[in-house]
Amino acid sequence: MIDLTRGPVTALTGAGVSAESGVPVFRGEEGLWRNYRPEELATPDAFRRNPRLVWEWYEWRRELIGARSPNPAHETLATMDKTLPDFTLITQNVDGLHQAAGSESVLEVHGNIWRVRCTACPYLSEDHRVPLPELPPRCPECGGLLRPDVVWFGESLSQEVLDAAWAAAAGCQTMLVIGTSAVVQPAASLPMVALRNGAQLIEFNPAETPLSRQADDVIRAPAGEALPTWWAAHRPT
Ligand code: BJW
Ligand code: ZN
């Protein structure tokens, strides 16, 4: 029996949580971002080879995401954040839709598409402009090339954010894993860390993932439908 007041609750989300907002996922049949796979464009090599192409991809995504709103799954997670005494939200998403729904202190392990940073100096800034005035954009401080403040393949995640995510996974009693294919490391290890430390794992995903067999419960339905229903049945009264 799940009692969400008995101990810390941690949620890990992936692209599937934003799918019902109209943001495409990365992998699978529906998972092509304008005919590119993340492995082709979300890499430092791709950016070195052709920064303009990579920026065009991000510009296209920024435009798409900027026109989208949070769905009931984001809203339910924001309610959990406000209701549960010890709740941590970890997301692999860069779209900012959890914050738009009202979640505070989200651990964004892969960064945020609405921030840019300089490849030549410490400049880091929020930038919500769509379209950007020039592609690729240039640093206002030093004229260097700006890049999206996201984590590409082969790059390290922020140690501070990863440490906080690891601690939330290791210390939780219940972990909800929502809308991730659970194949990209090190984020995909977080549910295993939770399991090893005795947490119960609940997966929300219409498709099977490498985690499914180890989950205590698997809810095979779109998160925007399944999560509000699940929360209505389990929220503290
Ligand atoms: C729904 C739904 C609905 C649909 N409701 N659900 C070999 C073995 C092991 C590891 C490696 C290896 N070779 C290289 C690595 C390391 C690599 C890695 O893990 N690669 C694997 C792919 C093999 N990882 C890294 O490089 C990471 N860094 C690192 O490890 O540093 C140390 C190191 C350095 C040097 C060398 C080696 C190690 C960095 C990873 C960065 C990932 N970045 C991206 C792009 C971010 C920026 C951007 O968005 O542009 O992050 S890639 C992309 O994948 C993005 C996502 O956050 C991430 C995860 O994807 P996610 O969220 O799971 O989405 P999908 O599409 O995969 O799944 C969606 C799911 O939703 C599906 O299951 C659907 O069924 C479901 N769904 N509708 C609920 N309505
Ligand atoms: Zn600069």
Side-chain angles (χ1 to χ4, degrees):
M1 183 59 198
I2 293 162
D3 179 354
L4 293 178
T5 56
R6 262 199 358 223
V9 179
T10 294
L12 170 69
T13 65
V17 82
S18 295
E20 287 150 88
S21 293
V23 181
V25 297
F26 291 95
R27 296 173 184 81
E29 273 173 28
E30 305 289 312
L32 286 184
W33 279 97
R34 206 193 197 187
N35 299 322
Y36 290 108
R37 295 178 187 283
E39 290 78 2
E40 288 172 47
L41 286 185
T43 74
D45 268 358
F47 190 69
R48 260 191 299 274
R49 269 197 308 273
N50 195 340
R52 191 182 164 87
L53 173 67
V54 173
W55 260 115
E56 279 172 1
W57 187 54
Y58 279 95
E59 180 101 311
W60 176 77
R61 291 174 58 195
R62 283 161 64 102
E63 190 176 351
L64 191 150
I65 292 166
R68 301 298 189 269
S69 308
N71 67 56
H74 298 107
E75 283 156 13
T76 301
L77 287 161
T79 305
M80 289 183 188
D81 193 23
K82 291 183 177 68
T83 313
L84 296 173
D86 191 343
F87 178 77
T88 305
L89 177 56
I90 307 167
T91 189
Q92 297 168 82
N93 298 346
V94 300
D95 56 29
L97 288 176
H98 284 305
Q99 292 88 334
S103 286
E104 288 167 18
S105 55
V106 184
L107 295 172
E108 294 179 307
V109 291
H110 292 160
N112 190 297
I113 202 168
W114 301 111
R115 283 194 308 266
V116 293
R117 65 183 163 90
C118 183
T119 55
C121 82
Y123 179 80
L124 171 71
S125 176
E126 278 203 16
D127 192 333
H128 289 261
R129 292 174 298 171
V130 180
L132 287 159
E134 57 170 341
L135 276 195
R138 293 272 163 190
C139 174
E141 306 271 319
C142 77
L145 206 53
L146 291 178
R147 57 164 284 179
D149 188 29
V150 299
V151 181
W152 287 327
F153 284 110
E155 293 186 319
S156 301
L157 287 66
S158 150
Q159 196 58 51
E160 196 186 330
V161 176
L162 188 58
D163 286 349
W166 218 262
C172 70
Q173 191 186 57
T174 306
M175 180 173 250
L176 312 175
V177 184
I178 306 153
T180 177
S181 57
V183 294
V184 175
Q185 296 294 347
S189 294
L190 293 166
M192 308 313 293
V193 169
L195 272 178
R196 271 204 303 276
N197 284 277
Q200 52 190 342
L201 201 68
I202 305 166
E203 181 179 64
F204 296 81
N205 197 316
E208 191 170 350
T209 77
L211 287 179
S212 303
R213 283 154 148 251
Q214 298 172 75
D216 295 282
D217 199 2
V218 176
I219 294 147
R220 288 253 174 274
E225 295 167 18
L227 204 57
T229 308
W230 186 88
W231 172 244
H234 293 93
R235 76 177 158 224
T237 44

